[in-house]
Amino acid sequence: RLGDIPYTPEVLHNSNLTSADVSHLSGLLQAVGFASKAPNGVGSAALTQLSGRELSLAYDVTNAESFGGVIATFDDYGNVPVQSQDLSSLTNLVLGLKLSAGTGDVYLELQDASGAKSSVLLKGLGTTEQFYQVALSLFSGVDLHTIASINLVVKHGVMPDTGTLSVRLGDI
């Protein structure tokens, strides 16, 4: 970050990685889909959990300023305080992503128990599964000792307007 100019680190896929390299994260309780509502552009997102490590998000971000995504959470949303997981001992997070059609970019976001968020932009998604190795040192302003959720955010203008995002991550 330079002054008040926001900066989002960008990460390209790593062609040397395979599904065997995907991070196993214990403690993920559930995955849920979310989408924007007014006053932002209205988006839609429908999440299907295919297995303990694979998710499919059907999304529509056709409207300007719309977004949708997946929240993989360590919190059960029912108890106070917010449940979290200590990811500070990890160097990287590895996940697999692919689109049903077209190409695009998706935001990977970490949110800590206080609600602070930090994101990186995963570049160059396509119709073949690609694997991204994301250094946790790229996330600033979040406490890696208390991560409450790992989020993937699809935004209007950086992804095809409609489609399906396939995600391979953790142990949900």
Side-chain angles (χ1 to χ4, degrees):
R1 187 171 179 131
L2 177 63
D4 288 329
I5 301 170
Y7 171 73
T8 301
E10 298 178 352
V11 176
L12 297 172
H13 73 277
N14 181 332
S15 58
N16 295 319
L17 299 175
T18 69
S19 61
D21 297 303
V22 171
S23 299
H24 290 276
L25 300 171
S26 63
L28 285 169
L29 297 178
Q30 62 183 328
V32 295
F34 68 91
S36 57
K37 297 180 171 138
N40 293 312
V42 175
S44 69
L47 181 68
T48 303
Q49 187 162 344
L50 304 173
S51 72
R53 298 186 67 192
E54 294 181 73
L55 308 168
S56 177
L57 179 75
Y59 68 87
D60 182 338
V61 291
T62 303
N63 296 317
E65 299 185 26
S66 63
F67 58 89
V70 176
I71 300 170
T73 183
F74 296 105
D75 185 31
D76 69 5
Y77 297 125
N79 294 324
V80 176
V82 173
Q83 291 86 27
S84 62
Q85 191 74 13
D86 185 351
L87 300 185
S88 64
S89 64
L90 299 178
T91 304
N92 300 300
L93 184 62
V94 177
L95 66 159
L97 301 170
K98 79 173 179 177
L99 293 172
S100 57
T103 60
D105 305 326
V106 66
Y107 290 87
L108 173 65
E109 185 177 80
L110 295 184
Q111 182 171 355
D112 69 21
S114 75
K117 297 177 187 176
S118 181
S119 62
V120 300
L121 184 60
L122 305 179
K123 301 280 290 179
L125 279 72
T127 57
T128 300
E129 186 174 29
Q130 297 171 325
F131 297 91
Y132 293 81
Q133 181 172 307
V134 183
L136 293 183
S137 61
L138 294 173
F139 295 92
S140 62
V142 293
D143 181 357
L144 293 176
H145 294 89
T146 63
I147 297 299
S149 66
I150 300 168
N151 311 323
L152 289 162
V153 184
V154 176
K155 294 184 180 182
H156 173 80
V158 295
M159 287 286 272
D161 286 347
T162 62
T164 301
L165 172 66
S166 297
V167 178
R168 193 183 300 257
L169 169 70
D171 298 300
I172 302 171

